[in-house]
Structure formats: C-alpha cells, structure tokens
Amino acid sequence: MKRETQNILLILLGGALLKITINGDYLRYVKPAQQPWIIAGGAVMVALGAVAIVRDLLAARAAAVVSGDVHAHDHNTRSAWLLMVPVLAVFLVAPPALGADSVTRTEARAPQSASASNAAAFPPLPAGDVVPLEVNEFVSRAGWDSSGSLNGRTVRLSGFVVHNEGNTMLARMVIGCCAADAFPITVRMVGEGVPGYGNDTWLEVTGTVVPGTAVRENSYTPDLTLTSVRQVPAPKDPYEY
C-alpha cells in the first residue's frame, strides 16, 4: 500500500472516530465513560495523517520541480485521493447497535451483579403506583431478591422486542466495557396484552412480575404480566451497564 493511501486511511479512520463521538453513535459500541479516549484517539490519527500527507506532498513537489516531472506526481496524488470514495462508505457508515439477532444467538443470563451472596442487599423499591426500573435491576430482583420486593408492584421497563421459540420477550444488552463483551437479559411478556410488534421494536411496558419464574432453567428470564404497552423510539444509548 502506498504511503498516500495509508495516510488517507489514517485520516478517515480518525475522522470516523470523531464523527461517531460527536453524534453519539459511539454509544453503540462502548460505555459513555470511554468518550474522552475515543476523541483523543481520533484527533491523534487525523493529526498524524494530515502531517504525513503535507510532508509527503512538499517533498514530492520539491523533487518534481528538480526533475521537471510535476504532472506525473499530480496524477499519482489524484489517483490516491480517489480511494476516499469506497473507504468513506466503509468507515463513516455506522452499523446498528446489537439487537434481537444477538439475543437469539447468545443465551441470556442473570446480571453479573446478581448472586446468592447479595440476595439480601436489594433496597426497598420507591413508593408510587408505577416504579421505573432498568431491565437489569428487574431481572436481578426477580431472580435473587428473597424478600420478594417486586411482588405485587407495577414496574415500567423499556427494551426491544425479541421473538424466540414461540415467546415474545423484552430484552436489553448489558455491556461491561464494550459491545464485544455484551450479553442479553430478557423478560418474557405474558397476558392478554402481549404485543405483536416485530423484532427490534422498542417498547415501554408496565406490568407485574410472576413470582418464581426467573430460574436457572430459563436463563433467569422472569415473566411479566402486562398492563400497558407503548412503542417508543430507540434510545441514543441502547445498552445497560
């Protein structure tokens, strides 16, 4: 690969990192805390590529003037810059966040924070007719909270639809550092109001847990008897932590 091409690719990759950081697409891949590192990495790549291109152009121009072959160098430089067109399509089009396909290919499990040793560590739920919870906390309480703090309480959850083996589930992906270590947590929606939306449709639902349904045999997937369902836009940050 020519130096010109390497430098162009370096600038494009750095520019792609800066772009996804500015518009928030980086949240599809890493935790919010990683934002400063992505900005710094992208800026360094762009700067290194730009400095290298300017240096090479000046050196080539000086050599061409000495040899009298200015036009040949200009032609090669233009050809190298044409490589931006396909590379832009590769680096600047961000793929979507992990969704239903990842859930069906990866077994759901209890959140990493949940264990028998901290079963008594769940604080009481706040007062109110409807309690908003992350799916992560809902699954943890359903599987491990021996005090039954969820029993009889109406909760509000948000996630995307997954149809798998005849079940309609509400799911979220949980990441520790980045999308590479993501794993799904799921809630099976039951009752008369089970929605008919397609995979990856984002919903906000309310309902009550069916006690004792989050067990190892079903990968800690509790049943939620629905009381309301509402379609919502996908959040900017689709993951839980």
Side-chain angles (χ1 to χ4, degrees):
M1 183 183 295
K2 293 183 178 181
R3 283 178 55 86
E4 295 94 334
T5 305
Q6 293 175 343
N7 294 334
I8 292 171
L9 291 176
L10 189 62
I11 289 178
L12 288 175
L13 181 56
L17 291 177
L18 293 176
K19 174 180 178 290
I20 65 174
T21 306
I22 293 171
N23 65 17
D25 285 345
Y26 78 100
L27 293 171
R28 300 177 183 180
Y29 316 110
V30 297
K31 297 175 66 173
Q34 304 297 325
Q35 184 185 40
W37 300 105
I38 301 174
I39 293 175
V44 168
M45 289 182 180
V46 171
L48 289 176
V51 169
I53 286 177
V54 172
R55 182 190 60 193
D56 290 347
L57 287 176
L58 292 176
R61 175 70 66 177
V65 169
V66 171
S67 65
D69 188 19
V70 177
H71 296 291
H73 170 73
D74 287 345
H75 175 75
N76 290 335
T77 301
R78 287 196 298 269
S79 299
W81 278 99
L82 287 175
L83 292 173
M84 288 183 63
V85 177
V87 175
L88 278 170
V90 173
F91 285 105
L92 299 185
V93 178
L98 300 177
D101 183 61
S102 298
V103 175
T104 57
R105 290 187 287 104
T106 308
E107 182 180 4
R109 64 177 187 262
Q112 294 172 331
S113 60
S115 67
S117 62
N118 67 5
F122 294 96
L125 290 175
D129 294 334
V130 179
V131 181
L133 290 177
E134 290 189 343
V135 178
N136 194 342
E137 182 178 357
F138 178 78
V139 172
S140 296
R141 286 178 179 269
W144 299 95
D145 186 4
S146 58
S147 69
S149 61
L150 288 175
N151 296 348
R153 300 299 303 274
T154 299
V155 299
R156 179 185 297 116
L157 309 173
S158 66
F160 55 90
V161 174
V162 178
H163 296 284
N164 189 29
E165 297 181 352
N167 296 314
T168 301
M169 297 181 292
L170 190 76
R172 293 294 290 261
M173 300 297 293
V174 178
I175 65 174
C177 175
C178 61
D181 62 21
F183 66 91
I185 48 175
T186 52
V187 174
R188 191 168 75 102
M189 295 182 285
V190 299
E192 297 181 357
V194 175
Y197 297 100
N199 280 346
D200 292 318
T201 303
W202 279 83
L203 302 176
E204 181 181 87
V205 304
T206 62
T208 57
V209 70
V210 178
T213 53
V215 295
R216 169 175 284 182
E217 290 71 24
N218 66 3
S219 301
Y220 297 97
T221 298
D223 287 357
L224 180 74
T225 303
L226 298 177
T227 55
S228 72
V229 177
R230 182 171 70 94
Q231 184 175 353
V232 295
K236 197 67 176 178
D237 184 358
Y239 301 120
E240 292 187 358
Y241 308 99

